[in-house]
Amino acid sequence: MQAYESPYGGYVYAYPHKTAYRPLDPRPALRDVWAGEHAAALYVHIPFCEMRCGFCNLFTRTGAPQDLVGAYLDAVERQARAVRDALDERSATGPRFTTAAFGGGTPTYLDARELTRLFDLTERAMGVDLGAVPLSVETSPATATRDRLAVLAERGVSRVSIGVQSFVDAEARAAVRPQKRAEVDAALDAIRAAGIPTLNIDLIYGIDGQTPDSWRFSLDTALMWNPEEVYLYPLYVRPLTGLGKRGRAWDDQRMELYRQGRDHLLGSGYEQVSMRMFRLPGSGATTDYCCQTDGMVGLGCGARSYTSTLHYSFEYAVGVRHVRGIIDDYVRRDDFDVAHVGFALNLEERKRRHLIQSLLQADGLARDLYRARFGVDVLEDFALDRFGDRLTVDDQRLRLTADGLANSDAIGPALFSAEVRRLMDGYAAC
Ligand SMILES: C[S@@+](CC[C@H](N)C(=O)[O-])C[C@H]1O[C@@H](n2cnc3c(N)ncnc32)[C@H](O)[C@@H]1O
Ligand code: SF4
């Protein structure tokens, strides 16, 4: 009998995962790390939330007092200056970002005045006009207030992404996400009233007590605001939370709700971009991974930065005490001219990253782009027969089938290298 393999091995939003990062010794100077690299994306991480949801393992803390938020913004400014200096060494024009994002946590945990400061300091220190590039900001129902949204609209934010998870209060409670439907509705109305071009709504399936009917209700309610994008997340639970694992029956529930949600959105005119992402055709950014060689500058603790050969960040944790300790350390830091914790990508890991990031998109992997980048056909580098009829191959592309996309969270982790797997397994969660 074949062993049961869960379709929910893990969400691969980046390769390698942060739990494969280790302290760098010696710590390389950012000037060397960024030599000859192109920083195309800017990301600022705000590790604050008004609540800690039971399922969430993002790097964030609740209840941050205002003076800590102020000290955090001071530190982001110091870091931004150090990074800009490192980038400037090699380029007369400074960084020319083509996209930017404020994520978290919940960036709108900052009040309107603090948000203004975040825009000002980022623009000043990085030498970037945020109004001139596509800029995405994450928000939550309780913090998407009209005064904050007015700041976002005025500063040219092009996309606001809000976590709703469920329009049924009892389901939000079951996911340990204390929120009220009235607050969710008010936030969505306010985002639409602010006139920000792209609205994304996050929904979660697989919550205890959720049924096909209640899932349909959440999907239909979300569609009432005509969001340009919808993300459907299968629920994952963190070990040691009260949510608990339920094995195969839960996997079956998630798969059934996934198919229902996907079909409902496709039937409502959305196109599927990846297992989680759906969007209205003609809206939003392109997803073609032709720019896989481009780098990302991450500011704030919890943010990752990527060059083609090094991914780096600060220490990472999920537990309350450790997250608080890391933020407290960050606000006192001055050593922003070196990379602290990271993972160096050799040629094989760069190829794997390109394969994983491309294959998990509905458009799949363009063979000519892979060949142009690595000088070899992708099928000479990787044996992919094990994915059987979940993968289609033609002269131009490798593409997951509908069933393949549904199993993205098993296919992605199956492509990790032995070394990344070893490091992730050896990561001591704290
Ligand atoms: C940064 S939050 C979105 C903005 C804001 N903090 C909020 O929660 O409203 C990122 C999103 O990831 C999803 N997410 C995080 N952890 C998850 C998990 N364990 N299982 C499923 N989805 C998760 C949620 O849908 C959440 O809205
Ligand atoms: S889901 Fe959003 S609000 Fe909840 S803890 Fe995670 S980042 Fe914070």
Side-chain angles (χ1 to χ4, degrees):
M1 197 178 76
Q2 222 192 341
Y4 170 67
E5 200 201 320
S6 171
Y8 301 102
Y11 177 21
V12 186
Y13 54 86
Y15 179 79
H17 190 262
K18 230 160 125 175
T19 52
Y21 294 12
R22 289 294 181 274
L24 298 167
D25 185 17
R27 296 175 173 179
L30 292 193
R31 204 180 321 115
D32 297 330
V33 167
W34 282 98
E37 296 276 343
H38 176 218
L42 176 65
Y43 174 73
V44 187
H45 189 82
I46 304 296
F48 306 124
C49 288
E50 82 279 9
M51 58 188 161
R52 181 82 217 201
C53 307
F55 51 81
C56 182
N57 64 359
L58 297 170
F59 184 86
T60 187
R61 62 157 286 179
T62 55
Q66 228 169 24
D67 57 346
L68 178 63
V69 174
Y72 185 80
L73 294 177
D74 291 343
V76 170
E77 185 159 11
R78 290 199 299 281
Q79 186 187 7
R81 286 189 197 292
V83 174
R84 170 134 196 240
D85 284 350
L87 300 174
D88 266 350
E89 288 281 314
R90 313 283 153 167
S91 143
T93 50
R96 286 202 310 275
F97 296 109
T98 45
T99 66
F102 295 163
T106 307
T108 47
Y109 181 81
L110 273 52
D111 64 25
R113 200 180 44 83
E114 291 161 340
L115 279 172
T116 300
R117 189 170 167 224
L118 174 64
F119 279 92
D120 288 345
L121 76 85
T122 308
E123 293 195 328
R124 206 170 42 231
M126 290 309 295
V128 55
D129 175 4
L130 290 171
V133 294
L135 170 60
S136 176
V137 179
E138 288 173 355
T139 190
S140 70
T143 61
T145 55
R146 286 180 190 270
D147 58 336
R148 289 170 170 113
L149 291 164
V151 174
L152 304 190
E154 189 196 318
R155 305 303 289 251
V157 168
S158 49
R159 175 181 183 268
V160 165
S161 175
I162 182 167
V164 170
Q165 328 309 357
S166 170
F167 283 92
V168 180
D169 279 349
E171 287 178 8
R173 261 199 314 280
V176 196
R177 162 104 172 173
Q179 76 184 11
K180 290 272 168 292
R181 172 69 199 280
E183 206 168 61
V184 173
D185 290 2
L188 289 165
D189 286 344
I191 294 169
R192 279 319 199 190
I196 292 160
T198 298
L199 163 66
N200 174 72
I201 296 180
D202 289 342
L203 296 175
I204 292 183
Y205 54 91
I207 301 172
D208 226 7
Q210 200 172 27
T211 64
D213 281 349
S214 72
W215 179 226
R216 167 84 189 235
F217 172 78
S218 278
L219 291 162
D220 279 336
T221 310
L223 295 185
M224 284 165 45
W225 278 273
N226 294 312
E228 284 72 21
E229 291 174 13
V230 182
Y231 265 77
L232 305 184
Y233 286 94
L235 180 64
Y236 275 88
V237 293
R238 287 189 287 139
L240 310 179
T241 59
L243 292 174
K245 290 198 176 175
R246 278 147 284 168
R248 189 168 188 161
W250 185 35
D251 286 349
D252 292 345
Q253 181 208 13
R254 286 184 288 183
M255 190 53 83
E256 183 192 347
L257 296 179
Y258 164 76
R259 293 202 179 103
Q260 183 194 344
R262 174 197 64 195
D263 293 348
H264 193 58
L265 290 182
L266 294 178
S268 305
Y270 285 78
E271 62 187 6
Q272 185 165 21
V273 177
S274 64
M275 174 176 143
R276 286 169 176 74
M277 185 185 177
F278 296 81
R279 72 168 171 221
L280 286 176
S283 62
T286 161
T287 51
D288 208 331
Y289 270 73
C290 61
C291 303
Q292 287 229 47
T293 47
D294 286 337
M296 180 168 85
V297 167
L299 300 176
C301 58
R304 283 157 297 166
S305 298
Y306 306 144
T307 70
S308 58
T309 54
L310 183 72
H311 290 190
Y312 66 91
S313 182
F314 297 100
E315 295 75 13
Y316 169 68
V318 176
V320 177
R321 209 162 43 81
H322 286 96
V323 170
R324 290 184 177 211
I326 292 170
I327 296 172
D328 292 347
D329 284 348
Y330 175 80
V331 301
R332 288 192 290 266
R333 280 199 122 108
D334 257 323
D335 51 352
F336 291 122
D337 55 342
V338 291
H340 294 259
V341 174
F343 182 94
L345 286 85
N346 60 21
L347 179 62
E348 192 223 311
E349 295 293 7
R350 292 205 290 280
K351 289 177 169 178
R352 267 186 201 283
R353 177 166 191 269
H354 187 111
L355 171 69
I356 293 170
Q357 305 261 107
S358 308
L359 205 55
L360 299 185
Q361 303 291 311
D363 278 350
L365 180 142
R367 293 174 83 168
D368 58 345
L369 291 181
Y370 188 95
R371 184 181 280 283
R373 187 168 175 204
F374 299 112
V376 58
D377 185 70
V378 61
L379 295 179
E380 284 178 48
D381 278 337
F382 297 99
L384 301 173
D385 330 340
R386 64 189 138 145
F387 300 125
D389 56 13
R390 287 182 172 163
L391 181 71
T392 62
V393 177
D394 63 30
D395 289 349
Q396 265 105 50
R397 302 189 94 88
L398 312 186
R399 250 198 211 102
L400 293 180
T401 60
D403 185 46
L405 267 185
N407 285 275
S408 292
D409 287 8
I411 291 173
L415 291 167
F416 292 0
S417 70
E419 176 63 1
V420 164
R421 197 173 290 285
R422 185 186 69 75
L423 288 164
M424 289 177 71
D425 289 346
Y427 171 79
C430 59

